[in-house]
Amino acid sequence: MPWPNLFPQIYFGRMVYNIPMNSPVRVRIAPSPTGYVHVGNTYIAYYNYIFAKQHNGTFIVRIDDTDQARHVADAERVIYRLFEWLGLVWQEGATIDGSPYPPYRQSEKIDRYKEKANELVDKGLAYHLDGAIYFKIQPGDPIVVHDLIRGEVVFERKNLKDFVILKSNGFPTYQFATCVDEIDHKITHVIRGEDHLSNTAFHVLAITALGGTPPMYAHMPLLRNTDESKLSKRQGHVSLQWYKDEGILPDALKNFFSLMGWSHPEQKEVFSEDEFITHFTFEKFRSRAPIFDLDKLRWLNGVKIREMDNEQLFNTLSSYYQEYDQNAYQQISANPQYSIRVVGLAKERLQTLKDFWPQNKYFYNEYQVPTKESVAKFISDDAVLLQYRDAVIALLSDASLAWEKDELDAKLHQLQSSYGLTPKQAFMTLRLIVTGESATPPLFDTLEVLGKDTVLGRIQAYLP
Ligand code: GLU
């Protein structure tokens, strides 16, 4: 049997896509300004951005703001600010002077949508009913959507109903406005969430009816929580703002997005954006829903933190705290040379920028004297403790002692054994008294960075 009879719905009369493969790539993200930026939309925005960059194309931000009821003042600015934070650079949009096909806000195109809807009425492709305008599904061949991830997806016309393109209040529907915009903005590839796959049949029909050529599509699987439920407001953290507030690095979040549905050819998990751009293809993209695992993101963020040199990390931390915690910022930035050394010790234990201050504030003016009970866990006899303390003070005050970790390590070990204490007793006690914490970077490094005056001062002030 010849091919056409095996797959008649695909091989007979399919709609033809004739966007030349060599025309410059133009993609768009079309967020609705509802007040927060969904991390799932951001992941999709990122793939649009990457695809454009990979093809020397244009990444466009279009604002889908026809739904006035949901419109939140200032929300558009929030979108731009957060995209900028993440480093998603767009070349066209309402904020970019000289963008060639304005407007880029749907609310500024209401008349154009009306005019286009009426044109379809005049051509007999749409009709008025109850004050609205409906697009008429004509009988005909199945509609084939060419999807870069899913291949050809076929829609039978008998399963489609006539749909509203202009509402009775004069506003276009999403279904229609998006089609007019795809044509006006000369979009070549629509990369969006798979929740829009079923809309695509309407879009192909409407774009064709409007005289345009349907773009290529890539419908990306939606992110899932670790229990495989859809990432929604109720579960997990869906707002991009949350990731910024939490001290996730843009590079870590983008690297994490790139692992959602795609694998590096060498199975690497940590790589740069340039490397991603070199290797990425939609053909290798899995359509199975990717799991957005926050623990993995935190781990990746820690790796990216440790990839930075101390000075870079110090600068990143100070900008973070400048925005989020004035007290921490002032203390960290008061002595950059000192803080760079602190950062060098602290970075091993950081997963987020937000971890830095609570884990390391004893390096600053936020030292908390440890409780008697916490110290007594290691040396319970007050007399022994006092004797040991005085011996440590005598040792550390000695002017001939070099204040350097190897020297401190050697001398304090000698003292510990001569007092008959276990290393754990001696050094946990010292750690607690000097930092107020039981978990810190290696003790002798910590003493070295804290400096002689601070260390002696805290020990002298400690009374069991
Ligand atoms: N404003 C729509 C959304 O955020 C755009 C969908 C599309 O990309 O066509 O779901």
Side-chain angles (χ1 to χ4, degrees):
M1 214 190 285
W3 281 104
N5 291 338
L6 274 172
F7 300 106
Q9 76 277 29
I10 296 178
Y11 286 92
F12 285 145
R14 62 203 251 186
M15 305 194 75
V16 180
Y17 297 87
N18 55 3
I19 286 187
M21 289 307 280
N22 61 357
S23 73
V25 163
R26 296 177 53 82
V27 294
R28 88 299 188 274
I29 188 75
S32 304
T34 54
Y36 79 109
V37 180
H38 194 290
V39 74
N41 289 341
T42 312
Y43 133 88
I44 288 164
Y46 183 55
Y47 279 81
N48 275 278
Y49 159 83
I50 285 292
F51 190 73
K53 220 170 163 186
Q54 194 179 40
H55 293 90
N56 275 318
T58 304
F59 174 45
I60 299 159
V61 176
R62 174 184 99 202
I63 302 295
D64 277 9
D65 59 352
T66 54
D67 193 347
Q68 297 292 321
R70 288 168 65 207
H71 193 92
V72 176
D74 227 29
E76 187 180 327
R77 219 176 40 84
V78 171
I79 295 169
Y80 299 139
R81 195 170 47 73
L82 286 173
F83 279 9
E84 274 165 14
W85 166 73
L86 195 59
L88 301 187
V89 182
W90 61 102
Q91 290 76 40
E92 278 181 34
T95 55
I96 310 283
D97 286 346
S99 290
Y101 308 110
Y104 293 85
R105 284 186 197 100
Q106 291 191 332
S107 60
E108 294 169 9
K109 296 179 71 171
I110 303 302
D111 288 343
R112 174 149 181 89
Y113 302 128
K114 239 180 241 174
E115 181 191 311
K116 287 284 151 187
N118 282 310
E119 254 175 57
L120 293 185
V121 175
D122 294 343
K123 287 200 222 159
L125 300 172
Y127 57 90
H128 289 274
L129 181 71
D130 296 333
I133 297 182
Y134 282 74
F135 185 92
K136 179 153 184 47
I137 308 285
Q138 314 279 352
D141 300 318
I143 299 143
V144 180
V145 173
H146 188 86
D147 191 283
L148 292 171
I149 298 172
R150 288 145 211 275
E152 290 185 337
V153 184
V154 180
F155 295 90
E156 297 289 342
R157 289 181 194 240
K158 64 176 191 305
N159 298 331
L160 305 176
K161 284 204 184 87
D162 293 358
F163 60 100
V164 178
I165 55 178
L166 206 73
K167 296 183 258 188
S168 53
N169 64 8
F171 279 78
T173 56
Y174 156 73
Q175 301 289 30
F176 189 60
T178 194
C179 295
V180 174
D181 287 350
E182 254 61 292
I183 297 173
D184 287 351
H185 294 157
K186 304 196 185 326
I187 300 302
T188 58
H189 298 75
V190 168
I191 302 166
R192 63 181 168 198
E194 69 186 355
D195 48 335
H196 288 292
L197 182 59
S198 58
N199 290 328
T200 308
F202 298 118
H203 297 171
V204 166
L205 287 177
I207 289 172
T208 310
L210 288 163
T213 304
M216 302 282 255
Y217 289 89
H219 285 95
M220 305 193 42
L222 302 183
L223 303 178
R224 303 270 158 178
N225 296 305
T226 39
D227 68 0
E228 305 221 348
S229 61
K230 204 171 118 184
L231 206 65
S232 68
K233 260 195 195 181
R234 254 170 292 248
Q235 278 204 40
H237 297 281
V238 294
S239 167
L240 180 59
Q241 180 76 43
W242 185 83
Y243 295 84
K244 177 174 179 288
D245 296 349
E246 204 57 15
I248 297 291
L249 299 169
D251 271 356
L253 190 55
K254 290 190 290 184
N255 189 158
F256 190 59
F257 285 152
S258 66
L259 299 172
M260 299 284 107
W262 182 81
S263 308
H264 189 283
E266 293 154 38
Q267 305 303 317
K268 282 195 207 172
E269 298 211 291
V270 185
F271 44 82
S272 67
E273 183 168 292
D274 284 346
E275 208 173 334
F276 182 43
I277 291 173
T278 306
H279 295 292
F280 176 71
T281 61
F282 273 115
E283 285 68 28
K284 291 263 169 66
F285 206 84
R286 296 184 295 273
S287 56
R288 202 179 129 51
I291 302 293
F292 194 84
D293 179 351
L294 212 50
D295 289 337
K296 183 158 179 186
L297 173 60
R298 284 184 198 278
W299 165 79
L300 188 57
N301 202 58
V303 174
K304 294 277 178 181
I305 282 178
R306 282 179 283 287
E307 278 181 355
M308 286 195 233
D309 69 38
N310 298 346
E311 189 168 346
Q312 229 183 338
L313 180 55
F314 160 73
N315 289 326
T316 305
L317 284 163
S318 6
S319 336
Y320 175 80
Y321 283 103
Q322 185 168 26
E323 188 173 350
Y324 290 97
D325 183 339
Q326 272 307 306
N327 168 46
Y329 168 66
Q330 293 195 345
Q331 296 196 47
I332 293 166
S333 59
N335 184 347
Q337 288 318 315
Y338 176 70
S339 286
I340 289 169
R341 297 181 70 206
V342 173
V343 162
L345 287 186
K347 71 199 233 191
E348 288 311 314
R349 304 197 310 135
L350 299 181
Q351 285 201 314
T352 65
L353 302 177
K354 195 181 178 180
D355 288 342
F356 177 78
W357 186 248
Q359 284 181 11
N360 297 285
K361 56 188 184 189
Y362 58 81
F363 278 106
Y364 301 90
N365 298 328
E366 309 276 333
Y367 163 74
Q368 292 259 329
V369 181
T371 61
K372 193 173 162 62
E373 298 73 55
S374 61
V375 178
K377 268 194 262 168
F378 301 99
I379 302 180
S380 54
D381 183 325
D382 281 355
V384 174
L385 180 59
L386 273 173
Q387 259 182 14
Y388 173 60
R389 188 196 75 144
D390 290 346
V392 171
I393 292 172
L395 172 73
L396 298 184
S397 328
D398 183 345
S400 71
L401 178 84
W403 198 266
E404 182 273 322
K405 64 177 183 202
D406 292 334
E407 173 94 347
L408 292 167
D409 183 331
K411 290 280 161 50
L412 284 163
H413 268 95
Q414 279 168 18
L415 189 74
Q416 165 253 317
S417 53
S418 70
Y419 268 76
L421 296 170
T422 65
K424 189 173 177 189
Q425 285 179 309
F427 302 130
M428 280 307 291
T429 301
L430 202 52
R431 170 178 277 120
L432 275 166
I433 293 177
V434 170
T435 68
E437 301 283 339
S438 52
T440 70
L443 179 61
F444 305 110
D445 299 76
T446 303
L447 298 180
E448 181 186 307
V449 170
L450 272 170
K452 185 169 180 169
D453 292 348
T454 303
V455 169
L456 273 172
R458 289 180 185 176
I459 301 173
Q460 276 157 347
Y462 182 76
L463 286 175

